[in-house]
Amino acid sequence: MITDAGGVIQYVNPAFETITGYMSNEALGQNPRFLKSGEQNDAFYKELWDSLLHGNSWSGRFVNRKKDGTLYTEEATISPVCDASGKTVNYVAVKRDITAEMKLEDQFRQSQKMESVGQLAGGVAHDFNNLLQVILGYGEMVLDKAGEDSPVLAYIEEMMNASHHAKTLIQQLMAFSRQQVLEMKDIDLNDVISQLMKMIHRLIGEHITLDFHAGHDLGIVHADSGQIEQILMNLCVNARDSMPGGGVITIEIENVHIDGAFCQTHTWAKPGHYVLLSVTDTGCGMDEEILANIFEPFFTTKGTGKGTGLGLSTVYGIVKQHQGLVHVCSEVGKGTTFNIYMPMLDHSAAIVNNKIESPVPHGSETILLAEDEEIVLRLSKTILESLGYTVLTALMPDEAIRLAKEYAGEIHLLITDVVMPEMNGLNLAILLKSIYPTLKYLFISGYKVNMTAHRGALDEGVIFLQKPFTKEGLAVKVREALDSE
């Protein structure tokens, strides 16, 4: 951006238009303050101008507001340009959008925090385990010597009950810190989990509906079957507790492939073939603050005496010890999905290899892409354009509607996230159908399609793509939607 000495914009480059959403003709003649978000106070701008008016350059960060209202963070260097006499005649600002980088940094710091907490928990568990061994050992000796008529027998039994409960907590801490011993063998998750269904039915109660969808041609994982059972039990108990008035728990198993492009924008992910175990509920859901802490030991949203805060910590530890991945997708009032990715030893050619090795379908149609996660929006646009499509992008439903009304050509396909602010994807599709009667739809979501249908957001049978998706997966679904009747 170049301004005159008074701060009036004289030039902006194409990157300015891409990042802010404002066209060049909308910015020229304005003061840069039209981008202000209100996140910086007057003292911030006073310091900036004090530096510039003294002939010095200024470097720092702004939180500014785009045309569509979303906030973004940019790293900027602003320098005065002087004439031969030394008088400032222009200011040049060179800026870079670092919003995505900051989000990745936050995810990385959270990962480091969890590692540190795990080491601490492991150390505490190890030391306390030794102390607990002494308590239990001597307690058992005293219990053996106390006769049935002993007046202290009831006290000893209560002490032993509490000690055994403490032992269970320590085992959970050991799982979280990945220090428990595993009995690893090659297993089929379909077999392990299907055998647990009767027990889980009894565990969650009759007020909860349990749906189980086994995987087809499932890959083999190298794991401790007992620990896998522990993961599923903990997740189902957690799901049950989020639905005191009843609801649905869906357990699904399938082969998936995570590629490098997805990993670039998701620090928790690693490329590879996995068997995915998903546990989804229709419960109360979680906000971002709770999501940031759910795997920490002793963190719980349950009332006093109703939870130790170690169930999800145990899940986290077991998954990490198996070299797996865990990711949570949740929204307040709309339920939660826990995705557990276990590394695949012998992935099925029918499910994974054929998808990867078959030719990737291309096209030349125009696609309107609506997605409220900017990182995912950019990634999807890049993939679709590499496949030959013309892509219009919108971060918000109202922006998608505006684009549809203003676009001079034909829009052939709407790709939209199911859950978005202001309007869900289904309602957006219905509205746009009135503008483009032949418009086709493809819905994407971090939730499983079965649970999306349970929530009433989508009808079963719609063309749907589960996040995270690969380039091949997106390409196939796009052609399926475009070629559908």
Side-chain angles (χ1 to χ4, degrees), residues 46-152:
K46 182 179 185 303
E47 180 183 348
L48 182 156
W49 277 106
D50 283 346
S51 178
L52 295 178
L53 292 175
H54 283 84
N56 301 316
S57 294
W58 178 92
S59 294
R61 291 181 175 183
F62 291 102
V63 177
N64 280 338
R65 189 180 302 277
K66 299 185 179 186
K67 185 177 180 179
D68 64 11
T70 58
L71 301 183
Y72 69 103
T73 303
E74 58 183 3
E75 207 166 53
T77 297
I78 306 174
S79 304
V81 179
C82 301
D83 62 14
S85 66
K87 179 183 177 182
T88 298
V89 292
N90 292 100
Y91 293 103
V92 176
V94 179
K95 304 188 285 184
R96 186 168 65 92
D97 184 358
I98 60 170
T99 309
E101 291 178 23
M102 292 180 64
K103 186 173 183 179
L104 291 174
E105 287 171 2
D106 288 342
Q107 292 176 336
F108 181 65
R109 279 193 292 269
Q110 178 67 12
S111 175
Q112 288 183 314
K113 175 184 174 183
M114 293 301 295
E115 291 295 321
S116 299
V117 172
Q119 292 177 9
L120 175 62
V124 171
H126 181 269
D127 292 342
F128 191 67
N129 227 6
N130 293 333
L131 298 173
L132 190 61
Q133 179 61 63
V134 174
I135 296 170
L136 284 169
Y138 281 112
E140 288 175 347
M141 293 171 64
V142 173
L143 192 61
D144 288 341
K145 290 184 177 295
E148 293 184 1
D149 297 331
S150 172
V152 297

Side-chain angles (χ1 to χ4, degrees), residues 238-289:
N238 198 66
R240 177 202 66 189
D241 292 344
S242 74
M243 301 181 290
V248 181
I249 297 176
T250 296
I251 301 169
E252 298 178 272
I253 312 174
E254 61 183 318
N255 294 331
V256 298
H257 171 69
I258 293 179
D259 63 10
F262 183 82
C263 296
Q264 290 176 6
T265 54
H266 297 77
T267 56
W268 57 267
K270 294 180 181 178
H273 300 280
Y274 297 88
V275 177
L276 171 61
L277 166 63
S278 297
V279 178
T280 307
D281 63 65
T282 55
C284 58
M286 297 175 280
D287 60 26
E288 291 186 3
E289 183 177 353

Side-chain angles (χ1 to χ4, degrees), residues 324-485:
L325 308 170
V326 56
H327 185 248
V328 189
C329 180
S330 186
E331 187 172 352
V332 175
K334 297 186 178 179
T336 300
T337 295
F338 280 87
N339 290 318
I340 308 297
Y341 299 82
M342 304 300 291
M344 188 188 299
L345 289 183
D346 183 21
H347 56 268
S348 165
I351 296 296
V352 177
N353 280 346
N354 285 350
K355 286 187 177 180
I356 296 171
E357 296 172 359
S358 57
V360 179
H362 289 59
S364 58
E365 292 91 343
T366 298
I367 297 173
L368 174 56
L369 176 63
E371 164 65 60
D372 62 329
E373 283 289 338
E374 188 172 1
I375 300 175
V376 179
L377 185 74
R378 288 203 299 265
L379 173 64
S380 303
K381 182 177 187 290
T382 301
I383 292 174
L384 291 168
E385 288 181 338
S386 73
L387 296 171
Y389 298 103
T390 299
V391 184
L392 309 175
T393 59
L395 271 171
M396 293 290 177
D398 59 351
E399 186 179 0
I401 295 167
R402 180 184 60 79
L403 282 172
K405 290 179 178 179
E406 295 177 357
Y407 188 67
E410 179 73 10
I411 297 177
H412 303 91
L413 175 68
L414 168 68
I415 302 178
T416 177
D417 202 323
V418 176
V419 180
M420 290 191 298
E422 302 172 0
M423 180 186 299
N424 66 43
L426 181 59
N427 289 337
L428 175 62
I430 293 171
L431 194 153
L432 292 184
K433 188 78 170 178
S434 64
I435 304 173
Y436 293 93
T438 60
L439 184 70
K440 306 292 181 62
Y441 313 136
L442 170 60
F443 296 98
I444 58 175
S445 179
Y447 297 102
K448 305 300 288 183
V449 66
N450 304 81
M451 294 313 298
T452 306
H454 277 306
R455 290 188 186 93
L458 289 178
D459 294 326
E460 293 191 34
V462 299
I463 300 176
F464 178 87
L465 182 61
Q466 171 75 34
K467 295 178 183 177
F469 48 77
T470 63
K471 176 179 179 178
E472 293 82 359
L474 178 60
V476 169
K477 285 292 183 180
V478 166
R479 281 268 44 105
E480 180 183 343
L482 285 168
D483 297 337
S484 63
E485 294 297 326

